[in-house]
Amino acid sequence: MKPIKVGLLGMGTVGSGTFNVLKRNQEEIQRRAGRGIEITMVADLDVARAQALVGEGVQVVGDARAVIANPEIDIVIELIGGYGIAKALVMEAIAAGKHVVTANKALLAVHGTEIFAAAQAKGVMVAFEAAVAGGIPIIKALREGLTANSIQWVAGIINGTTNFILSEMRDKGLDFGVVLKEAQRLGYAEADPTFDIEGVDAAHKVTLMSAIAFGIPVQFDKAYVEGITKLGAADIKYAEQLGYRIKLLGITKRTAQGIELRVHPSLVPTQRLIANVEGAMNAVMVQGDAVGTTLYYGKGAGSEPTASAVIADLVDITRLHTADPLNRVPHLAFQPGAMSNLAVLPMAEVVTSYYLRLRVADQAGVLAKLTGLLADAGISIDAVLQREADQVSQAGENQTDVIILTHDTREGTLNEVLAQMQALPTVMAPIVRIRKEELN
Ligand SMILES: NC(=O)C1=CN([C@@H]2O[C@H](COP(=O)(O)OP(=O)(O)OC[C@H]3O[C@@H](n4cnc5c(N)ncnc54)[C@H](O)[C@@H]3O)[C@@H](O)[C@H]2O)C=CC1
Ligand SMILES: N[C@@H](CC=O)C(=O)O
Ligand code: NA
């Protein structure tokens, strides 16, 4: 089957990430989608810059309407932003019968009712996973994964720029303005950063989540919005002393009287997971009556994290509209005919690092012997710890514990060294080995 053809409007931070990730992972994405997905036409005001980014094989134009007018294009990705030209282009793409993927939360939070109605009438999809919490699949979780639940509330850190500012101010004592400039440099901030710092961007996102969680129309105009600009450094410090962190939260909650929809700085107990979400990271908590509380964490902004969500929407649309109905949601995510025969490794081939605890005779030269065996096998040591003198008597007058952290090595190699260590007369008990995962 021929690839599905996609037109991309706006080759900026997210547009270039989308192009690059789709190109880099095209083979794997095709095996999931059941059909190739190709960006064949791009529009940007800066044609030369966009052409340099996509290379010669892709047509680049300055007029986005030329993309919409191209009958070969099935899906239009809108990554220009704002309510102006972006709204006109999205409405025109829908009118032309194209599916639309957008990261534009401002547009959907304010004009969503009109846009979704037009798409419904035309029988096309408007997909917007990237619009809320960037790369975190929160729209899919709310819309599909949690579909059995009566959702009670959703609360999240959904603006990377402000979370970055609050973290840097607290940890490094940096000035608000300096950190904001850095967030802009890193591509997190909106074209108009007042949207970030005044809570408007978070309100756009929580408005969309509220609609999906409670089945209500998008109603940005009803949201209470308070940003972080009036927050003093002293409040961040005092909150910390009282056991709280200040986070800009977007909250929407079902109550007997109606729906709460609000964005404001909030004190959150420091021991909560969400209080420890730092930098530009996002996290969304969802409370459902059946599932209880769930938490979704990840990068809410930036070029490729946001692209990840844009492409997930492209795959959804491709599957729904072109795949064999049986394989729209392939059982194992990849189309049945596109499974890989990658081998699952035997444990001996796994590479990881280790914590070792050895009960040894408390004699000179024992430690050197142990570290020598590791060195001979090419296993480097990250840290060594010997029990304190006052702990020795508990282990026995002539014995002590040695703890060794290794760097990464093959499990098979370590097993050979462990066997040699265990055979030493100075090793007095079975060696304890715990694998170590940095998970970063
Ligand atoms: N940057 C981020 O981390 C995230 C951004 N978003 C959203 O994604 C959208 C795009 O954001 P960014 O990529 O950061 O913006 P950007 O400012 O980096 O890119 C926008 C691009 O659109 C082009 N453009 C402007 N007017 C145009 C027109 N009339 N026709 C064709 N091209 C035009 C610009 O030249 C620019 O290259 C926005 O809606 C934003 O809110 C969503 C999640 C994260
Ligand atoms: N400006 C936004 C970008 C993503 O939506 C943010 O800082 O989170
Ligand atoms: Na998302």
Side-chain angles (χ1 to χ4, degrees), residues 14 103 105 130-134 157-164 183 187-193 195-196 201-202 205 280-282 300-302 306:
V14 183
K105 56 268 167 163
V132 183
I157 296 170
I158 44 179
N159 183 266
T161 302
T162 45
N163 203 51
F164 183 68
Y188 304 148
E190 293 304 302
D192 177 356
F195 272 29
D196 296 294
D201 176 70
K205 293 165 178 166
M281 301 307 278
N282 280 196
T306 312

Side-chain angles (χ1 to χ4, degrees), residues 140-152 212-213 254 287-292:
K140 204 162 188 91
L142 283 167
R143 196 183 56 207
E144 293 167 30
L146 299 175
T147 199
N149 288 264
S150 169
I151 307 276
Q152 283 144 357
I212 296 171
R254 186 199 297 269
Q287 165 103 358
D289 66 336
V291 73

